[in-house]
Amino acid sequence: MLACESLHHEYLSGGKQLTVLKDITFQLEAGGFLAIIGPSGSGKTTLLGLLAGLDRPTAGRVVLDGVDLGPLDEDARARFRRQRVGFVFQSFQLIPTLTARENVQVPLELAGSNDAGPRADELLHRVGLSERSHHYPSQLSGGEQQRVAVARAFSTRPRILFADEPTGNLDAANGAIVIETMTALNVEYGTTLVLVTHEPDLAALARRTIRLADGAVVSDTGR
Amino acid sequence: MTSAGFVRRLAWRQAHAARRRLMLLTASVVAGVGALVAVNSFTRNLTVAVAEQAKDLLGADLSLGSRSPTDDIKPARRLLDSLRRVGGGAVHVASSASFAAMAYHPSSGGARLVQVRTVDPGWPYYGTMTTSPARIWSGLQAGGVIVDPSLLTAIGAKVGDTLGLGEGRFRILGTVINVPGDVGLQMAFGARVFISTTSLPGTKLLAFGSRAQYETFIQLPPTIDAQAVARANGGVLRAERISVHTIADDRDNLTRGLIRLGNYLGLVALAALLLGGLGVASAVHVFIRQQLDSIAVLRCLGATSGQIFAANLLQALAMGLLGSVLGALLGVGLQQLMPHVVHDFLPLNVRVLPSPHAILVGIGSGLWTATVFALLPLLGVRTAPPLATLRRATDPVRARWDRLRVAAVLVLIASVVGLATLQVGSLVHGVAFAVGSGSALFVLWLTSLALIRSARRWTPESWPYLLRQGLANLHRPANQTITVVLALGFGAFILTTLFTAQQNLLRTIRVEDVAARPNLVLFDIQTEQQPVIDSVLTAEHLQRAEYTAIVPMRIRELKGQALADLLAKDTVGHRRGERGGAGGPPSWTLRREFRSTYRGDKGPGERVTVGHWFGSGAHGSGKSASDPVEISVEADLAKDLGVGIGDPITWDVQGVPVYSRITSLREVNWARFEPNFFVVFAPGALDHAPQSWVTMVRAPDAMVRGRVQREVAEHAANVTAIDLGEIQHAIESVVDRIVMAIRFMALFSLITGTIVLIGAIATSRWQRIREGTLLRTLGATRGQVLTILCTEYAALGLAASIVASILAGGAGWALARWIFNVHFVLPLASMATLAVGLVALTTTVGLWNSLEVLNKPPLEVLRAE
């Protein structure tokens, strides 16, 4: 499902070239559940972004669902994400000017779906937010916002879901609800799950764990 | 730290951190203050120039003007004799006659309608005629002509060639470059041709019924006070229909006129400044919303709402002052352009110098506008709760209407009225301006609310997602719809109104493209010249209209009251619109020479509003009060004269009394280029009165019209043949030049509107970029994001232009209906062009602000959260 070869990434910060990822190589089978862990600044989020095609690596290759992302231009990668990738972010990243229902509808409508409304209603029901579907993000609690984000992530039944610290901004109870929802949908839809976290309890739920330090893989367990 | 010190430091720190946002506040007032300073400073230059050049404008100490030679009028002759007796050889007198005539170039065959002016030696007594070649003015008295350069181009002649004027032939000595007191706009109605008075008889241009304006210019020694002479003799001279001008009169009239012109152009500039006020309000509103977190923290730490309000007010004042100073600098630069904008209306040379008074008033107006418009949103900081440190809703708390808010609104309204009153020097006009612009903004605001509601309710679900998403941004939280529609709509409203008014005004005079309308008019035809005219027209295969008689006459008695009695009541009024003493008719109606006609049928541009048109049978001989001839009077004139159906008027027709009785009142469409008359007599009574004739033809093209003009000029010298196409172009060029001056000022409203638009769009820029990035993360292509943004901004531009067009249509209709009295037609093509321009502007500014969303990788923006 997911393969990366010799991933290397640098960027300019404060006039200096910083190396954030060094020679990362691994593969993940379809339906798998991978946790990427490591301390702050170890390159977890950058790696997730490169794996999902949100940015281009300085060197190396990412093959996602059989497609090499390297040769794809920005729009081709966007179309690819639309069809096969879902996201959940630490800071929810809902569009503040859209209601919960509209936020869930967006990926479906971008894909030209004719049943975006009913499908959004169904997913919001699944995450327990039917009653809040016409509320704006600012009118929802953090936990509710993240559940909307999960519903949105699964709206197009993606082949793979990338989650960046999905419980980082939530309390334990809300975090548990979000993870439970994610894993349930993962099982139901057979979606591959890639999770970035620094919480050992959450990483323990994954079937495989890659630990990063200073931009390099220091351990890869559960393969 | 003292409270004042804390406030000052807080203001500085916050302003430093948010300087880009606050610069929008500064930019909002720059254009308005700039326009205001430019106009007011230039108006000051004009009044100085008038004071310095007053003598040159008249060219003499005293002038007498009349419709017949002054020497033929006894009181004028007596005055000149008495002045000569008192002043002796130090009194100099020069006469001049001005009239329209055809000039032609025998070599090339070119002919043009010109304004002939005869001059005596010595004139002008003050000021210098500038000619090319230099110093040929005095040579005029030896024969020859000096002409406007435009005539040479028009008829294909050059200096040294021969020019035909009536039956006279003159060598062209040179061209005139500057005539003191003349306005460039005059040339639109015919190039000027100067000849000596002694050359006039040889031309045979002036015959019975010819319209000419005679002027007598008098130079007085210092011992004789021109003003005292005018005061002492004015009444007697005016009773004989002689106007009296002194240097002081001309200076005061011109100063008044130019100040009025400056004031009203300044009002258009003020509109731009007030629109900038809206930009200030919008910028402060957004700034405060962004500061809510900081304010809440400061409140938690013990800062009072008064301190926070004061700090923010200080920022607004400082930025407003900066904007006003920058605007004043811009204004000083713009002032250099003003002579080019209004040079056609100026009879003098102006030295452009910055006026400290205008600069101070401009800065004061800008600062005051920024302050009063900032007050209302600033009051919001008083109620910002410290609780916001813990939880802040995106939706702002709805403002409560307490006493301070009401006071702020009242101060705002009073300020608009005050600034407008200060600008035009009239409370009534100031209030009218405030009500007018307030109403326009209110309608724009209402319409933008309707637009928001429509976008929410009526966007069909079946439309493509990208379109719906773009349109939905018009009503979603933190939308900028109201600000953008107000900011752009107001400037577009002013510009579209100008277009609408201009096009409706000009459409009525169009003869070129209306096949049925005559386009050549021949007048001052003597009865014996009719066969000559007919043969000229027949040779060109042209079908003329019936000859219409023109009988010059004046009022002798009105409703039984002698003219002398009526005029005796009037001692001062002599301009159109001024009413005579004791509420009598305006003096211009009593003094003027009426050029009336007689006929049995109504003209095409006439409509009887009261009474009946002449029926068949006898209409009276007009020879006695008991047998008056029936007449029809133009309705507005009847109102001025205070007469109605059945009232008697006795006319003086070349010394013979003609008695008449009003049987109908008419509305006349003066805008049609046809022989129209204030008074039409029933046929019979005037058949044998001294009269000249007018007729009209439609010639297929300008070449034929040119040939006819030339033939007429050669074979019937006194007959004037006017190409209405040329007149149409002349009027169009005059209207164009006036409109250009107003449009130049109105442009500042659009510039300010664009600055406010940039501010409004920049306000939501980060939000749009974040949304766009998220959409791209979720799989939207750059094209799709671009389509959403384009839809949103194009819809905003379209909304602003539609509202502006509707408002401008209403204003244009009102102007056409009540001011210009013309039939109203919506100039759809021009309005559509402006709308397209506005949509392009909004979309360009919007996209330019959001380009980042297309170019940055999604990860970069998401990480910046």
Side-chain angles (χ1 to χ4, degrees):
Chain A
M1 167 55 63
L2 174 64
C4 63
E5 289 170 22
S6 308
L7 269 193
H8 186 86
H9 196 61
E10 295 177 354
Y11 60 78
L12 209 61
S13 176
K16 287 183 179 172
Q17 201 72 22
L18 287 182
T19 301
V20 281
L21 291 176
K22 299 170 210 161
D23 196 27
I24 310 277
T25 301
F26 69 84
Q27 291 186 341
L28 179 67
E29 75 285 5
F33 184 176
L34 166 70
I36 301 171
I37 59 170
S40 289
S42 59
K44 304 186 297 290
T45 301
T46 304
L47 176 60
L48 182 124
L50 295 180
L51 294 176
L54 294 178
D55 204 353
R56 289 173 183 280
T58 311
R61 201 160 82 103
V62 176
V63 178
L64 189 55
D65 201 17
V67 176
D68 183 353
L69 299 184
L72 301 185
D73 67 10
E74 190 58 51
D75 283 345
R77 279 186 284 148
R79 274 190 288 270
F80 179 82
R81 288 196 295 270
R82 183 200 298 169
Q83 291 154 3
R84 309 189 203 187
V85 180
F87 289 98
V88 176
F89 300 97
Q90 178 178 359
S91 51
F92 323 135
Q93 301 291 10
L94 297 178
I95 298 175
T97 55
L98 303 186
T99 61
R101 185 176 190 261
E102 289 167 339
N103 264 290
V104 180
Q105 277 176 276
V106 167
L108 292 163
E109 294 192 305
L110 281 172
S113 164
N114 289 327
D115 64 344
R119 179 104 182 96
D121 291 337
E122 180 199 323
L123 279 159
L124 283 171
H125 177 71
R126 286 290 303 276
V127 298
L129 290 173
S130 295
E131 301 301 313
R132 314 298 301 268
S133 64
H134 293 292
H135 285 83
Y136 285 99
S138 61
Q139 296 165 320
L140 301 173
S141 71
E144 288 168 333
Q145 287 189 55
Q146 195 62 304
R147 278 189 277 157
V148 174
V150 170
R152 182 178 69 181
F154 280 98
S155 64
T156 51
R157 296 175 189 253
R159 301 268 295 140
I160 187 163
L161 178 82
F162 291 96
D164 180 18
E165 305 274 13
T167 59
N169 282 356
L170 302 177
D171 58 43
N174 271 308
I177 295 172
V178 166
I179 291 300
E180 200 179 295
T181 312
M182 273 172 58
T183 47
L185 288 167
N186 164 238
V187 170
E188 186 178 334
Y189 295 151
T191 306
T192 306
L193 211 53
V194 177
L195 181 74
V196 162
T197 183
H198 59 263
E199 293 178 43
D201 292 350
L202 192 51
L205 294 173
R207 292 192 282 280
R208 181 177 170 190
T209 304
I210 289 177
R211 178 181 294 276
L212 292 183
D214 289 333
V217 175
V218 291
S219 69
D220 186 350
T221 56
R223 247 187 296 193
Chain B
M1 190 188 294
T2 63
S3 181
F6 169 73
V7 165
R8 207 175 56 244
R9 284 185 179 84
L10 179 63
W12 169 250
R13 285 171 190 151
Q14 279 186 330
H16 192 66
R19 54 189 181 278
R20 278 183 67 179
R21 173 80 51 240
L22 286 170
M23 279 314 284
L24 282 172
L25 188 158
T26 300
S28 295
V29 293
V30 169
V33 171
L36 210 55
V37 168
V39 170
N40 289 343
S41 199
F42 186 64
T43 307
R44 292 231 149 206
N45 295 161
L46 289 178
T47 54
V48 170
V50 171
E52 286 173 355
Q53 299 167 41
K55 268 191 165 186
D56 300 2
L57 297 178
L58 192 59
D61 293 301
L62 189 67
S63 89
L64 309 177
S66 61
R67 282 283 175 192
S68 49
T70 326
D71 281 351
D72 296 353
I73 306 168
K74 267 188 195 165
R77 222 169 36 234
R78 273 203 300 271
L79 172 65
L80 291 176
D81 289 345
S82 75
L83 287 173
R84 282 190 182 109
R85 268 198 307 280
V86 176
V91 173
H92 299 103
V93 178
S95 298
S96 167
S98 306
F99 53 91
M102 293 306 299
Y104 56 96
H105 185 223
S107 315
S108 68
R112 271 289 182 282
L113 181 72
V114 295
Q115 301 291 324
V116 179
R117 192 187 293 183
T118 69
V119 290
D120 272 350
W123 183 85
Y125 297 119
Y126 307 112
T128 314
M129 306 291 289
T130 317
T131 55
S132 169
R135 289 184 288 281
I136 54 169
W137 184 250
S138 54
L140 202 62
Q141 299 304 324
V145 291
I146 297 175
V147 302
D148 268 324
S150 62
L151 179 65
L152 298 186
T153 319
I155 60 174
K158 59 183 188 304
V159 173
D161 285 0
T162 298
L163 186 76
L165 276 176
E167 293 185 9
R169 298 288 181 275
F170 301 89
R171 199 170 81 82
I172 302 172
L173 304 174
T175 56
V176 65
I177 293 170
N178 184 40
V179 180
D182 270 14
V183 178
L185 213 55
Q186 288 172 344
M187 276 183 278
F189 293 101
R192 292 165 297 187
V193 172
F194 294 90
I195 62 170
S196 68
T197 306
T198 49
S199 307
L200 178 62
T203 64
K204 298 196 176 156
L205 282 172
L206 293 182
F208 172 76
S210 298
R211 289 179 71 90
Q213 174 66 33
Y214 296 88
E215 297 264 359
T216 301
F217 297 99
I218 306 158
Q219 187 187 31
L220 297 170
T223 48
I224 302 178
D225 177 5
Q227 208 61 26
V229 173
R231 261 199 310 275
N233 297 277
V236 180
L237 292 169
R238 275 194 283 269
E240 291 294 331
R241 302 179 176 96
I242 298 176
S243 63
V244 185
H245 291 267
T246 63
I247 291 169
D249 286 344
D250 272 17
R251 182 191 59 214
D252 295 347
N253 285 338
L254 190 58
T255 304
R256 266 197 303 273
L258 291 174
I259 286 179
R260 200 175 300 140
L261 173 74
N263 285 349
Y264 284 94
L265 282 180
L267 212 49
V268 188
L270 187 62
L273 180 58
L274 295 177
L275 194 58
L278 284 181
V280 168
S282 163
V284 172
H285 176 73
V286 172
F287 178 68
I288 294 298
R289 277 190 65 182
Q290 289 172 340
Q291 292 287 317
L292 280 179
D293 286 343
S294 318
I295 292 170
V297 172
L298 285 166
R299 295 292 308 278
C300 284
L301 297 176
T304 65
S305 60
Q307 285 174 318
I308 294 169
F309 174 77
N312 284 287
L313 182 62
L314 198 59
Q315 286 166 2
L317 281 171
M319 300 315 278
L321 182 63
L322 177 64
S324 303
V325 171
L326 290 175
L329 289 174
L330 173 74
V332 170
L334 282 173
Q335 193 188 345
Q336 308 296 321
L337 292 179
M338 293 305 292
H340 304 288
V341 176
V342 294
H343 76 279
D344 284 322
F345 315 112
L346 298 182
L348 31 76
N349 302 313
V350 186
R351 258 183 307 144
V352 180
L353 291 170
S355 150
H357 177 268
I359 290 173
L360 284 177
V361 168
I363 291 177
S365 303
L367 182 57
W368 185 250
T369 303
T371 309
V372 293
F373 276 89
L375 264 183
L376 208 56
L378 275 182
L379 286 173
V381 303
R382 295 169 313 139
T383 48
L387 189 66
T389 44
L390 304 177
R391 183 181 182 85
R392 176 162 67 87
T394 302
D395 297 333
V397 180
R398 191 169 282 277
R400 276 185 299 113
W401 279 97
D402 55 19
R403 271 187 304 181
L404 274 177
R405 262 177 205 284
V406 173
V409 170
L410 290 178
V411 168
L412 183 66
I413 294 170
S415 300
V416 174
V417 173
L419 286 171
T421 304
L422 190 72
Q423 184 58 42
V424 287
S426 151
L427 179 64
V428 175
H429 290 187
V431 171
F433 171 82
V435 170
S437 44
S439 306
L441 286 174
F442 182 65
V443 174
L444 282 167
W445 177 72
L446 279 183
T447 322
S448 46
L449 285 186
L451 179 77
I452 289 172
R453 190 160 286 196
S454 310
R456 184 181 293 136
R457 284 199 178 173
W458 306 114
T459 306
E461 281 292 322
S462 57
W463 283 12
Y465 164 69
L466 301 179
L467 212 59
R468 277 186 290 127
Q469 173 76 10
L471 289 177
N473 285 342
L474 297 180
H475 65 75
R476 285 187 168 139
N479 69 72
Q480 295 299 316
T481 307
I482 291 179
T483 315
V484 172
V485 170
L486 281 185
L488 281 186
F490 193 70
F493 158 65
I494 296 177
L495 282 179
T496 316
T497 304
L498 281 176
F499 265 124
T500 313
Q502 180 189 14
Q503 299 213 357
N504 274 286
L505 199 57
L506 294 181
R507 184 177 40 76
T508 54
I509 58 164
R510 225 153 261 163
V511 290
E512 295 280 33
D513 45 1
V514 182
R517 282 205 190 174
N519 51 15
L520 191 64
V521 59
L522 300 106
F523 59 85
D524 287 350
I525 303 166
Q526 307 300 305
T527 308
E528 65 276 11
Q529 288 175 320
Q530 287 184 3
V532 180
I533 299 298
D534 286 347
S535 70
V536 170
L537 297 179
T538 311
E540 291 289 348
H541 310 291
L542 298 177
Q543 185 72 41
R544 65 163 169 78
E546 284 292 301
Y547 283 111
T548 304
I550 293 184
V551 182
M553 58 182 67
R554 294 176 191 278
I555 291 175
R556 177 178 280 200
E557 281 182 15
L558 189 68
K559 293 199 282 190
Q561 272 195 291
L563 178 74
D565 295 341
L566 290 165
L567 285 174
K569 292 177 184 173
D570 172 38
T571 52
V572 288
H574 58 277
R575 279 189 299 276
R576 180 159 192 165
E578 286 184 10
R579 197 153 278 280
S587 49
W588 75 269
T589 58
L590 301 172
R591 290 204 182 95
R592 69 165 286 138
E593 182 184 74
F594 287 89
R595 292 163 71 86
S596 308
T597 194
Y598 56 90
R599 62 180 178 216
D601 300 321
K602 283 198 303 288
E606 298 178 321
R607 189 173 69 87
V608 171
T609 53
V610 186
H612 302 284
W613 188 251
F614 317 126
S616 54
H619 304 295
S621 69
K623 288 180 178 165
S624 68
S626 58
D627 187 20
V629 57
E630 293 178 18
I631 60 169
S632 176
V633 179
E634 192 256 351
D636 286 338
L637 175 70
K639 202 170 149 193
D640 278 346
L641 289 173
V643 293
I645 300 295
D647 284 338
I649 302 177
T650 307
W651 303 90
D652 181 338
V653 181
Q654 305 298 307
V656 177
V658 173
Y659 300 89
S660 69
R661 187 174 62 86
I662 302 169
T663 55
S664 70
L665 302 182
R666 285 165 304 133
E667 248 179 24
V668 177
N669 182 359
W670 295 102
R672 284 177 72 112
F673 280 140
E674 279 149 7
N676 284 318
F677 299 90
F678 277 117
V679 184
V680 177
F681 283 66
L686 298 179
D687 288 5
H688 302 293
Q691 55 199 269
S692 63
W693 303 86
V694 61
T695 189
M696 303 180 85
V697 292
R698 175 154 189 98
D701 55 53
M703 285 244 299
V704 176
R705 293 200 288 276
R707 282 203 298 271
V708 171
Q709 285 179 307
R710 187 184 139 71
E711 289 295 310
V712 168
E714 278 207 83
H715 298 106
N718 64 292
V719 174
T720 308
I722 294 182
D723 182 341
L724 292 183
E726 275 180 34
I727 296 291
Q728 176 196 317
H729 291 142
I731 294 176
E732 279 179 354
S733 93
V734 170
V735 173
D736 282 350
R737 286 177 223 188
I738 295 169
V739 169
M740 194 199 84
I742 305 172
R743 199 179 292 158
F744 177 75
M745 300 314 300
L747 212 55
F748 287 92
S749 288
L750 205 61
I751 293 170
T752 304
T754 309
I755 292 170
V756 178
L757 166 76
I758 292 170
I761 288 176
T763 299
S764 54
R765 177 173 166 271
W766 176 243
Q767 183 175 302
R768 291 282 170 270
I769 289 175
R770 191 167 166 272
E771 278 180 17
T773 308
L774 272 171
L775 286 171
R776 284 180 60 203
T777 305
L778 297 173
T781 60
R782 282 185 291 193
Q784 286 176 313
V785 174
L786 195 66
T787 309
I788 291 171
L789 290 172
C790 278
T791 307
E792 177 184 357
Y793 295 124
L796 276 174
L798 193 64
S801 51
I802 287 174
V803 178
S805 299
I806 293 170
L807 272 179
W813 175 83
L815 285 173
R817 172 83 178 76
W818 286 304
I819 307 292
F820 305 136
N821 289 320
V822 294
H823 176 63
F824 175 71
V825 173
L826 212 56
L828 285 174
S830 308
M831 290 170 100
T833 310
L834 201 70
V836 169
L838 216 55
V839 169
L841 175 74
T842 321
T843 312
T844 309
V845 171
L847 291 182
W848 176 64
N849 258 278
S850 318
L851 274 184
E852 224 172 314
V853 72
L854 302 177
N855 299 329
K856 279 200 172 180
L859 191 62
E860 198 176 316
V861 181
L862 295 178
R863 289 186 72 114
E865 279 286 289

